[in-house]
PDB file of all heavy atoms in Angstrom:
ATOM      1  N   ALA A  99       4.619  26.745  -5.593  1.00  0.00           N
ATOM      2  CA  ALA A  99       5.223  26.165  -4.437  1.00  0.00           C
ATOM      3  C   ALA A  99       4.373  26.532  -3.129  1.00  0.00           C
ATOM      4  O   ALA A  99       4.026  25.651  -2.343  1.00  0.00           O
ATOM      5  CB  ALA A  99       6.594  26.608  -4.177  1.00  0.00           C
ATOM      6  N   ARG A 100       3.934  27.792  -3.120  1.00  0.00           N
ATOM      7  CA  ARG A 100       3.189  28.272  -1.920  1.00  0.00           C
ATOM      8  C   ARG A 100       1.901  27.508  -1.760  1.00  0.00           C
ATOM      9  O   ARG A 100       1.430  27.113  -0.727  1.00  0.00           O
ATOM     10  CB  ARG A 100       2.878  29.710  -2.043  1.00  0.00           C
ATOM     11  CG  ARG A 100       4.076  30.548  -1.617  1.00  0.00           C
ATOM     12  CD  ARG A 100       3.566  31.891  -1.625  1.00  0.00           C
ATOM     13  NE  ARG A 100       4.740  32.909  -1.518  1.00  0.00           N
ATOM     14  CZ  ARG A 100       4.679  34.033  -0.994  1.00  0.00           C
ATOM     15  NH1 ARG A 100       3.562  34.538  -0.565  1.00  0.00           N
ATOM     16  NH2 ARG A 100       5.757  34.758  -0.996  1.00  0.00           N
ATOM     17  N   LYS A 101       1.244  27.403  -2.871  1.00  0.00           N
ATOM     18  CA  LYS A 101      -0.102  26.612  -2.985  1.00  0.00           C
ATOM     19  C   LYS A 101       0.089  25.195  -2.664  1.00  0.00           C
ATOM     20  O   LYS A 101      -0.635  24.612  -1.866  1.00  0.00           O
ATOM     21  CB  LYS A 101      -0.732  26.860  -4.330  1.00  0.00           C
ATOM     22  CG  LYS A 101      -2.081  26.467  -4.368  1.00  0.00           C
ATOM     23  CD  LYS A 101      -3.035  27.453  -3.620  1.00  0.00           C
ATOM     24  CE  LYS A 101      -4.449  26.983  -3.380  1.00  0.00           C
ATOM     25  NZ  LYS A 101      -5.179  27.800  -2.493  1.00  0.00           N
ATOM     26  N   HIS A 102       1.157  24.546  -3.173  1.00  0.00           N
ATOM     27  CA  HIS A 102       1.414  23.096  -2.797  1.00  0.00           C
ATOM     28  C   HIS A 102       1.597  23.077  -1.221  1.00  0.00           C
ATOM     29  O   HIS A 102       1.066  22.089  -0.628  1.00  0.00           O
ATOM     30  CB  HIS A 102       2.746  22.574  -3.347  1.00  0.00           C
ATOM     31  CG  HIS A 102       2.777  22.411  -4.907  1.00  0.00           C
ATOM     32  ND1 HIS A 102       1.665  21.753  -5.573  1.00  0.00           N
ATOM     33  CD2 HIS A 102       3.609  22.810  -5.832  1.00  0.00           C
ATOM     34  CE1 HIS A 102       2.029  21.725  -6.746  1.00  0.00           C
ATOM     35  NE2 HIS A 102       3.154  22.299  -7.008  1.00  0.00           N
ATOM     36  N   ALA A 103       2.365  23.812  -0.638  1.00  0.00           N
ATOM     37  CA  ALA A 103       2.591  23.849   0.805  1.00  0.00           C
ATOM     38  C   ALA A 103       1.207  24.103   1.671  1.00  0.00           C
ATOM     39  O   ALA A 103       1.091  23.428   2.631  1.00  0.00           O
ATOM     40  CB  ALA A 103       3.595  24.916   1.114  1.00  0.00           C
ATOM     41  N   GLU A 104       0.437  24.934   0.994  1.00  0.00           N
ATOM     42  CA  GLU A 104      -0.861  25.147   1.683  1.00  0.00           C
ATOM     43  C   GLU A 104      -1.811  23.936   1.707  1.00  0.00           C
ATOM     44  O   GLU A 104      -2.443  23.707   2.579  1.00  0.00           O
ATOM     45  CB  GLU A 104      -1.435  26.261   0.845  1.00  0.00           C
ATOM     46  CG  GLU A 104      -2.480  27.068   1.668  1.00  0.00           C
ATOM     47  CD  GLU A 104      -3.106  28.195   0.753  1.00  0.00           C
ATOM     48  OE1 GLU A 104      -2.313  29.058   0.283  1.00  0.00           O
ATOM     49  OE2 GLU A 104      -4.243  28.125   0.413  1.00  0.00           O
ATOM     50  N   THR A 105      -1.722  23.136   0.510  1.00  0.00           N
ATOM     51  CA  THR A 105      -2.895  22.169   0.377  1.00  0.00           C
ATOM     52  C   THR A 105      -2.402  20.740   0.666  1.00  0.00           C
ATOM     53  O   THR A 105      -3.237  19.885   0.871  1.00  0.00           O
ATOM     54  CB  THR A 105      -3.332  22.257  -1.042  1.00  0.00           C
ATOM     55  OG1 THR A 105      -2.332  22.076  -1.892  1.00  0.00           O
ATOM     56  CG2 THR A 105      -4.123  23.512  -1.287  1.00  0.00           C
ATOM     57  N   ILE A 106      -1.047  20.515   0.682  1.00  0.00           N
ATOM     58  CA  ILE A 106      -0.629  19.006   0.526  1.00  0.00           C
ATOM     59  C   ILE A 106      -1.055  18.272   1.763  1.00  0.00           C
ATOM     60  O   ILE A 106      -1.531  17.004   1.646  1.00  0.00           O
ATOM     61  CB  ILE A 106       0.842  18.995   0.338  1.00  0.00           C
ATOM     62  CG1 ILE A 106       1.209  17.586  -0.164  1.00  0.00           C
ATOM     63  CG2 ILE A 106       1.702  19.483   1.483  1.00  0.00           C
ATOM     64  CD1 ILE A 106       2.688  17.574  -0.788  1.00  0.00           C
ATOM     65  N   ALA A 107      -1.048  18.799   2.998  1.00  0.00           N
ATOM     66  CA  ALA A 107      -1.531  17.971   4.089  1.00  0.00           C
ATOM     67  C   ALA A 107      -3.021  17.701   4.087  1.00  0.00           C
ATOM     68  O   ALA A 107      -3.423  16.599   4.367  1.00  0.00           O
ATOM     69  CB  ALA A 107      -1.174  18.756   5.433  1.00  0.00           C
ATOM     70  N   TYR A 108      -3.795  18.623   3.692  1.00  0.00           N
ATOM     71  CA  TYR A 108      -5.247  18.404   3.543  1.00  0.00           C
ATOM     72  C   TYR A 108      -5.471  17.412   2.430  1.00  0.00           C
ATOM     73  O   TYR A 108      -6.352  16.514   2.702  1.00  0.00           O
ATOM     74  CB  TYR A 108      -5.898  19.678   3.299  1.00  0.00           C
ATOM     75  CG  TYR A 108      -7.335  19.671   2.695  1.00  0.00           C
ATOM     76  CD1 TYR A 108      -8.411  19.304   3.509  1.00  0.00           C
ATOM     77  CD2 TYR A 108      -7.474  19.848   1.351  1.00  0.00           C
ATOM     78  CE1 TYR A 108      -9.628  18.961   3.024  1.00  0.00           C
ATOM     79  CE2 TYR A 108      -8.886  19.603   0.913  1.00  0.00           C
ATOM     80  CZ  TYR A 108      -9.893  19.276   1.783  1.00  0.00           C
ATOM     81  OH  TYR A 108     -11.133  19.060   1.305  1.00  0.00           O
ATOM     82  N   LEU A 109      -4.801  17.470   1.374  1.00  0.00           N
ATOM     83  CA  LEU A 109      -5.071  16.503   0.260  1.00  0.00           C
ATOM     84  C   LEU A 109      -4.648  15.092   0.665  1.00  0.00           C
ATOM     85  O   LEU A 109      -5.250  14.120   0.268  1.00  0.00           O
ATOM     86  CB  LEU A 109      -4.255  17.013  -0.951  1.00  0.00           C
ATOM     87  CG  LEU A 109      -4.734  18.305  -1.615  1.00  0.00           C
ATOM     88  CD1 LEU A 109      -3.882  18.615  -2.855  1.00  0.00           C
ATOM     89  CD2 LEU A 109      -6.197  18.282  -2.026  1.00  0.00           C
ATOM     90  N   THR A 110      -3.605  15.030   1.544  1.00  0.00           N
ATOM     91  CA  THR A 110      -3.197  13.711   1.984  1.00  0.00           C
ATOM     92  C   THR A 110      -4.315  13.092   2.826  1.00  0.00           C
ATOM     93  O   THR A 110      -4.663  11.835   2.609  1.00  0.00           O
ATOM     94  CB  THR A 110      -1.889  13.809   2.800  1.00  0.00           C
ATOM     95  OG1 THR A 110      -0.930  14.471   2.091  1.00  0.00           O
ATOM     96  CG2 THR A 110      -1.400  12.487   3.289  1.00  0.00           C
ATOM     97  N   GLU A 111      -4.849  13.880   3.663  1.00  0.00           N
ATOM     98  CA  GLU A 111      -6.009  13.371   4.491  1.00  0.00           C
ATOM     99  C   GLU A 111      -7.206  12.837   3.589  1.00  0.00           C
ATOM    100  O   GLU A 111      -7.750  11.879   3.800  1.00  0.00           O
ATOM    101  CB  GLU A 111      -6.624  14.492   5.341  1.00  0.00           C
ATOM    102  CG  GLU A 111      -5.754  15.058   6.420  1.00  0.00           C
ATOM    103  CD  GLU A 111      -5.883  14.094   7.657  1.00  0.00           C
ATOM    104  OE1 GLU A 111      -7.051  13.870   8.023  1.00  0.00           O
ATOM    105  OE2 GLU A 111      -4.761  13.513   8.082  1.00  0.00           O
ATOM    106  N   GLU A 112      -7.498  13.697   2.523  1.00  0.00           N
ATOM    107  CA  GLU A 112      -8.512  13.359   1.667  1.00  0.00           C
ATOM    108  C   GLU A 112      -8.227  12.049   0.843  1.00  0.00           C
ATOM    109  O   GLU A 112      -9.135  11.324   0.745  1.00  0.00           O
ATOM    110  CB  GLU A 112      -8.586  14.590   0.637  1.00  0.00           C
ATOM    111  CG  GLU A 112      -9.695  14.540  -0.286  1.00  0.00           C
ATOM    112  CD  GLU A 112     -11.167  14.597   0.285  1.00  0.00           C
ATOM    113  OE1 GLU A 112     -11.260  15.056   1.539  1.00  0.00           O
ATOM    114  OE2 GLU A 112     -12.169  14.101  -0.308  1.00  0.00           O
ATOM    115  N   ALA A 113      -7.002  11.977   0.387  1.00  0.00           N
ATOM    116  CA  ALA A 113      -6.514  10.670  -0.295  1.00  0.00           C
ATOM    117  C   ALA A 113      -6.778   9.459   0.530  1.00  0.00           C
ATOM    118  O   ALA A 113      -7.202   8.394   0.019  1.00  0.00           O
ATOM    119  CB  ALA A 113      -5.199  10.749  -0.726  1.00  0.00           C
ATOM    120  N   LEU A 114      -6.508   9.591   1.818  1.00  0.00           N
ATOM    121  CA  LEU A 114      -6.667   8.371   2.716  1.00  0.00           C
ATOM    122  C   LEU A 114      -8.146   8.235   3.042  1.00  0.00           C
ATOM    123  O   LEU A 114      -8.635   6.987   3.020  1.00  0.00           O
ATOM    124  CB  LEU A 114      -5.845   8.729   3.894  1.00  0.00           C
ATOM    125  CG  LEU A 114      -4.299   8.668   3.846  1.00  0.00           C
ATOM    126  CD1 LEU A 114      -3.642   9.109   5.062  1.00  0.00           C
ATOM    127  CD2 LEU A 114      -3.823   7.231   3.559  1.00  0.00           C
ATOM    128  N   ASN A 115      -8.911   9.313   3.288  1.00  0.00           N
ATOM    129  CA  ASN A 115     -10.276   9.135   3.666  1.00  0.00           C
ATOM    130  C   ASN A 115     -11.086   8.501   2.523  1.00  0.00           C
ATOM    131  O   ASN A 115     -11.916   7.688   2.811  1.00  0.00           O
ATOM    132  CB  ASN A 115     -10.875  10.631   3.999  1.00  0.00           C
ATOM    133  CG  ASN A 115     -10.436  11.110   5.342  1.00  0.00           C
ATOM    134  OD1 ASN A 115      -9.949  10.276   6.138  1.00  0.00           O
ATOM    135  ND2 ASN A 115     -10.595  12.381   5.421  1.00  0.00           N
ATOM    136  N   ARG A 116     -10.752   8.851   1.349  1.00  0.00           N
ATOM    137  CA  ARG A 116     -11.545   8.379   0.107  1.00  0.00           C
ATOM    138  C   ARG A 116     -11.516   6.855   0.019  1.00  0.00           C
ATOM    139  O   ARG A 116     -12.387   6.227  -0.454  1.00  0.00           O
ATOM    140  CB  ARG A 116     -10.940   8.829  -1.179  1.00  0.00           C
ATOM    141  CG  ARG A 116     -11.110  10.212  -1.485  1.00  0.00           C
ATOM    142  CD  ARG A 116     -12.347  10.450  -2.339  1.00  0.00           C
ATOM    143  NE  ARG A 116     -12.618  11.929  -2.444  1.00  0.00           N
ATOM    144  CZ  ARG A 116     -12.399  12.622  -3.463  1.00  0.00           C
ATOM    145  NH1 ARG A 116     -11.865  12.119  -4.610  1.00  0.00           N
ATOM    146  NH2 ARG A 116     -12.539  14.023  -3.395  1.00  0.00           N
ATOM    147  N   VAL A 117     -10.455   6.185   0.614  1.00  0.00           N
ATOM    148  CA  VAL A 117     -10.358   4.738   0.579  1.00  0.00           C
ATOM    149  C   VAL A 117     -10.551   4.111   1.978  1.00  0.00           C
ATOM    150  O   VAL A 117     -10.197   2.916   2.250  1.00  0.00           O
ATOM    151  CB  VAL A 117      -9.152   4.205  -0.097  1.00  0.00           C
ATOM    152  CG1 VAL A 117      -9.177   4.374  -1.615  1.00  0.00           C
ATOM    153  CG2 VAL A 117      -7.897   4.941   0.493  1.00  0.00           C
ATOM    154  N   SER A 118     -10.914   5.021   2.922  1.00  0.00           N
ATOM    155  CA  SER A 118     -11.140   4.623   4.267  1.00  0.00           C
ATOM    156  C   SER A 118      -9.919   4.015   4.890  1.00  0.00           C
ATOM    157  O   SER A 118      -9.927   2.874   5.487  1.00  0.00           O
ATOM    158  CB  SER A 118     -12.297   3.571   4.504  1.00  0.00           C
ATOM    159  OG  SER A 118     -13.453   4.085   3.895  1.00  0.00           O
ATOM    160  N   LYS A 119      -8.825   4.661   4.673  1.00  0.00           N
ATOM    161  CA  LYS A 119      -7.458   4.129   5.159  1.00  0.00           C
ATOM    162  C   LYS A 119      -6.866   5.280   6.017  1.00  0.00           C
ATOM    163  O   LYS A 119      -7.272   6.410   5.910  1.00  0.00           O
ATOM    164  CB  LYS A 119      -6.449   3.850   4.000  1.00  0.00           C
ATOM    165  CG  LYS A 119      -6.935   2.716   3.123  1.00  0.00           C
ATOM    166  CD  LYS A 119      -6.800   1.429   3.715  1.00  0.00           C
ATOM    167  CE  LYS A 119      -7.280   0.297   2.859  1.00  0.00           C
ATOM    168  NZ  LYS A 119      -7.460  -1.046   3.636  1.00  0.00           N
ATOM    169  N   GLY A 120      -5.917   4.856   6.860  1.00  0.00           N
ATOM    170  CA  GLY A 120      -5.182   5.774   7.582  1.00  0.00           C
ATOM    171  C   GLY A 120      -3.712   5.749   7.427  1.00  0.00           C
ATOM    172  O   GLY A 120      -3.262   4.796   6.706  1.00  0.00           O
ATOM    173  N   LEU A 121      -2.932   6.502   8.044  1.00  0.00           N
ATOM    174  CA  LEU A 121      -1.448   6.416   7.770  1.00  0.00           C
ATOM    175  C   LEU A 121      -0.878   5.107   8.304  1.00  0.00           C
ATOM    176  O   LEU A 121       0.129   4.712   7.705  1.00  0.00           O
ATOM    177  CB  LEU A 121      -0.652   7.584   8.662  1.00  0.00           C
ATOM    178  CG  LEU A 121      -0.659   8.929   7.875  1.00  0.00           C
ATOM    179  CD1 LEU A 121      -0.030  10.005   8.855  1.00  0.00           C
ATOM    180  CD2 LEU A 121       0.117   8.870   6.610  1.00  0.00           C
ATOM    181  N   GLY A 122      -1.506   4.478   9.209  1.00  0.00           N
ATOM    182  CA  GLY A 122      -1.003   3.192   9.781  1.00  0.00           C
ATOM    183  C   GLY A 122      -1.061   2.144   8.676  1.00  0.00           C
ATOM    184  O   GLY A 122      -0.431   1.109   8.743  1.00  0.00           O
ATOM    185  N   ASP A 123      -1.890   2.305   7.569  1.00  0.00           N
ATOM    186  CA  ASP A 123      -2.100   1.252   6.497  1.00  0.00           C
ATOM    187  C   ASP A 123      -0.945   1.353   5.482  1.00  0.00           C
ATOM    188  O   ASP A 123      -0.751   0.596   4.762  1.00  0.00           O
ATOM    189  CB  ASP A 123      -3.301   1.469   5.809  1.00  0.00           C
ATOM    190  CG  ASP A 123      -4.620   1.230   6.775  1.00  0.00           C
ATOM    191  OD1 ASP A 123      -4.596   0.171   7.355  1.00  0.00           O
ATOM    192  OD2 ASP A 123      -5.407   2.087   6.869  1.00  0.00           O
TER     193      ASP A 123
END
Side-chain angles (χ1 to χ4, degrees):
R100 282 186 192 207
K101 194 67 188 171
H102 288 314
E104 200 180 302
T105 53
I106 196 163
Y108 164 74
L109 298 178
T110 303
E111 290 279 308
E112 186 63 22
L114 291 167
N115 285 343
R116 287 268 171 103
V117 284
S118 307
K119 298 285 177 194
L121 275 176
D123 298 306

